[in-house]
């Protein structure tokens, strides 16, 4: 992992890390909510083998990236445009996971001449009238409700998580191992993997580096109008989603995917939300990405 920062035109700092083959095909990674640029404990051998350069960013308020007041999904596209110029990338592809899917779609919408392919993995979907779908787990729906109506309470909850991650990581991992009835069998099994848990601690530690405001601000963004329509996306989109996902219900994802003009869908029958934590699925995603570039 190679941690780096750059200064954006408005004076903010943007943090990112590079994995895989530094001279390979550029694929920008957008983490979930909350999340960070820390995707791997060391490096990604699969990306290196496939000659893919993974560039993982910290969004505003997370990790090494400064907060942006009153930012929007489309504002982040400007950050990515400047990062691409900084890295001398004429073209690149984007991959967004969970909440990061909204940002990947936003970048694709705003920069159609820069983005080759957009990959949405267990992605979030637009909410109707700012409300999460009833098919979403009640735990996740509650978090979004608190984001908009009682942010101070959600902030207390997130602060308690940060305290565990920073000072009692073993307790944090044990809590994750317990899983929950609101998770699919796939996700509960993933959370028993010690390597996944160790990486999860590092990922979360960076997510909360500056505090918990990042997750509160971003949660509000995801419930609002995204500022663009997926029907207007001009670039190829590849969707990967687990049919047992309780965080982002499959029915909502299928409804969204049906509106995207150039889309290829991969629905995994028994999979849940944590797709990128599965080495087998992650390899399939990257191999499919390489093949898609040849087709398009």
């Amino acid at each position: 992992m190679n941690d780096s920062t750059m200064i954006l035109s408005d004076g903010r700092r943007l943090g990112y890390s590079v994995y895989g083959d530094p001279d390979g095909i550029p694929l920008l990674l957008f983490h979930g909510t909350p999340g960070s640029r820390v995707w791997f404990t060391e490096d990604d051998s699969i990306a290196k083998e496939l000659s893919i350069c993974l560039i993982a960013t910290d969004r505003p308020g997370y990790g090494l990236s400064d907060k942006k007041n009153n930012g929007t999904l489309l504002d982040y596209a400007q950050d990515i445009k400047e990062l691409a110029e900084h890295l001398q990338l004429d073209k690149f592809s984007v991959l967004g996971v969970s909440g990061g899917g909204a940002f990947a779609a936003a970048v694709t919408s705003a920069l159609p001449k820069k983005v080759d392919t957009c990959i949405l993995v267990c992605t979030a979907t637009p909410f109707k009238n700012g409300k999460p779908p009833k098919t979403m787990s009640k735990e996740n729906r509650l978090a979004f409700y608190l984001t908009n109506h009682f942010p101070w309470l959600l902030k207390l909850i997130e602060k308690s998580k940060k305290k565990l991650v920073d000072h009692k990581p073993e307790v944090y991992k044990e809590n994750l191992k317990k899983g929950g009835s609101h998770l699919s069998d796939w996700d509960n099994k993933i959370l028993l993997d010690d390597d996944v848990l160790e990486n999860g601690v590092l990922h979360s530690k960076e997510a909360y580096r500056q505090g918990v405001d990042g997750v509160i601000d971003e949660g509000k963004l995801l419930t609002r109008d995204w500022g663009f329509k997926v029907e207007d996306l001009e670039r190829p989109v590849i969707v990967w989603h687990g049919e047992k996902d309780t965080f982002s219900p499959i029915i909502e994802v299928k409804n969204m995917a049906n509106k995207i003009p150039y889309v290829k869908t991969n629905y995994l029958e028994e999979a849940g939300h944590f797709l990128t934590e599965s080495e087998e699925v992650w390899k399939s995603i990257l191999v499919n990405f390489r093949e898609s570039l040849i087709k398009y």
Side-chain angles (χ1 to χ4, degrees):
M1 179 177 68
N2 181 13
D3 285 342
S4 301
T5 60
M6 64 164 289
I7 302 300
L8 298 166
S9 59
D10 64 1
R12 287 181 298 115
R13 184 178 58 167
L14 184 149
Y16 63 96
S17 293
V18 177
Y19 304 93
D21 180 356
D23 298 316
I25 301 167
L27 176 60
L28 273 61
L29 304 180
F30 301 153
H31 59 73
T33 305
S36 72
R37 71 191 184 285
V38 179
W39 281 54
F40 309 96
T41 52
E42 294 182 3
D43 203 343
D44 185 37
S45 59
I46 297 174
K48 188 170 291 187
E49 178 185 336
L50 294 171
S51 297
I52 297 174
C53 177
L54 301 175
I55 304 163
T57 61
D58 285 327
R59 287 196 295 278
Y62 292 121
L64 301 174
S65 292
D66 293 331
K67 181 178 179 179
K68 181 178 177 67
N69 293 324
N70 302 312
T72 66
L73 292 177
L74 290 173
D75 283 340
Y76 192 61
Q78 178 60 34
D79 290 359
I80 294 303
K81 181 181 179 182
E82 292 186 31
L83 174 62
E85 291 170 352
H86 175 73
L87 297 175
Q88 299 182 319
L89 302 177
D90 292 327
K91 301 274 284 186
F92 54 87
S93 294
V94 295
L95 184 156
V97 171
S98 195
F103 290 87
V107 171
T108 303
S109 173
L111 306 174
K113 294 183 179 179
K114 290 285 187 182
V115 174
D116 272 320
T117 300
C118 173
I119 307 171
L120 304 178
V121 183
C122 52
T123 184
T125 59
F127 290 173
K128 294 178 182 178
N129 302 317
K131 296 181 180 179
K134 292 182 179 180
T135 47
M136 179 184 287
S137 71
K138 63 180 181 181
E139 288 80 2
N140 224 33
R141 281 186 282 129
L142 176 60
F144 281 116
Y145 179 80
L146 294 178
T147 295
N148 284 314
H149 299 282
F150 299 97
W152 59 270
L153 180 54
L154 184 59
K155 185 173 287 191
L156 288 176
I157 295 171
E158 293 298 325
K159 281 184 176 180
S160 68
K161 292 180 184 178
K162 173 177 168 53
K163 188 174 181 180
L164 279 181
V165 169
D166 288 344
H167 304 292
K168 297 181 178 180
E170 293 305 317
V171 174
Y172 180 75
K173 285 191 284 187
E174 285 302 315
N175 287 346
L176 288 178
K177 272 188 177 182
K178 294 176 184 177
S181 59
H182 65 291
L183 296 177
S184 68
D185 290 342
W186 167 286
D187 291 329
N188 278 319
K189 184 177 180 180
I190 287 286
L191 291 176
L192 295 176
D193 188 305
D194 289 334
D195 290 337
V196 168
L197 293 175
E198 183 61 31
N199 190 61
V201 167
L202 296 175
H203 186 79
S204 298
K205 192 176 183 68
E206 276 302 296
Y208 294 126
R209 173 191 279 253
Q210 300 178 49
V212 302
D213 287 346
V215 64
I216 307 297
D217 294 342
E218 197 163 280
K220 292 178 180 179
L221 274 185
L222 293 175
T223 66
R224 295 170 183 166
D225 186 280
W226 285 8
F228 63 94
K229 295 185 181 299
V230 297
E231 296 95 312
D232 298 330
L233 294 178
E234 300 175 24
R235 302 304 303 156
V237 176
I238 303 173
V239 175
W240 289 83
H241 212 87
E243 296 200 2
K244 306 296 186 183
D245 192 330
T246 58
F247 289 93
S248 184
I250 186 66
I251 185 64
E252 300 299 325
V253 173
K254 287 183 176 180
N255 288 339
M256 182 183 75
N258 288 338
K259 298 175 183 177
I260 301 174
Y262 312 104
V263 65
K264 167 67 176 174
T265 58
N266 301 274
Y267 300 131
L268 309 183
E269 186 176 357
E270 296 302 322
H273 191 67
F274 304 139
L275 297 188
T276 56
E277 283 75 16
S278 164
E279 185 173 334
E280 180 182 357
V281 175
W282 179 241
K283 184 172 184 177
S284 295
I285 290 171
L286 293 188
V287 168
N288 177 264
F289 164 62
R290 280 296 306 264
E291 294 173 347
S292 73
L293 293 180
I294 297 173
K295 291 179 183 178
Y296 292 110

